[in-house]
Amino acid sequence: MPLTADVAAQQVQERLRSLHRLIYDIDSERGRNEQCIESILRAEKAAESPPANEDSSSSSQQQSQLKNLYKTGLTAAEQEERLLRAALSRIYEIRSIKNERRIQARHAGNKETIGCGALMKMLLSAAQTLPLHVGRVGERAPPLCGAVPADSGHIARPGDAVAALVKVSEKEENWILAEVVCWHPAQGKYEIDDIDEEQKNRHILSKRRVVPLPLMRADPRTDEQALFPKGAVVMALYPQTTCFYRAVVNRLPASAGDPYEVLFEDSSYADGYSPPERVAQRYVIAIKEGKGRAT
């Protein structure tokens, strides 16, 4: 059943109220955690410098007290983690509701033309607000997190951003930034729209001509294996355009909010590469062999 504007607004408000309560609870829990950490630090300091006349029973009591403080601190930290994950879930739910409404509006023909400058700002915002994968200890980054490819059976959903190989002339093909309209299972093909609405182009493409973009950012501090290594050949969105070209990773992101630094293949330069360009994680994907070269 289509999501009406009134129902969507009600669902968003419900989640915003829940998010407000969660933020209040997180702040309270963090205050308790800070007090617990201070108690642990004081107890550790006392255990490291016991009085000269302290007997063994007093030392044992101190160790027991410290162990209890560690347990309390661990329980409090786990509770804060649960609250933070619940808050993130509410944010993702709000994003999903708004995205569903946007897709419905587009299908209904209410597609507003976006100018080039506004489109570039929208693409930058989409990259900066892409959800960050926050895994648990020992958990590996899932498919479509950073450089981790999609599963072989993955089917992109309507509204998902993809790189699509389309014909721009009889002899030329380009990888463009596009959005999935739908998947036709009987044909095994995607229907996609060029993200540049000024082009007003819709394409029917086989799965091998469509590469899903990451659904989550990888944090270099916890999921370095989910980033492309230095020297990797990739496809990257050229700045201020909606086309992907071959590039080499020159520098990895230092934090979750940082972009890659890449060198685009460019025969107009003596060494065959452009000066370094900064490209967000969302727009750096695995190379398709034999495809995606700048023409």
Side-chain angles (χ1 to χ4, degrees), residues 123-124 127-128 177 213-214 217 227-228 234-241 243-264 274-285:
L123 298 182
L124 177 61
Q128 293 172 336
L177 179 59
L213 265 56
R217 286 174 292 142
L227 295 171
F228 290 107
V234 296
M235 293 198 298
L237 193 71
Y238 197 86
Q240 301 303 307
T241 76
C243 289
F244 290 83
Y245 297 108
R246 287 171 63 104
V248 175
V249 173
N250 190 50
R251 183 180 300 168
L252 277 63
S255 70
D258 288 343
Y260 284 96
E261 183 180 275
V262 303
L263 309 175
F264 285 96
S274 71
E277 297 282 0
R278 291 159 63 85
V279 183
Q281 278 194 48
R282 179 175 172 84
Y283 305 123
V284 178
I285 57 177

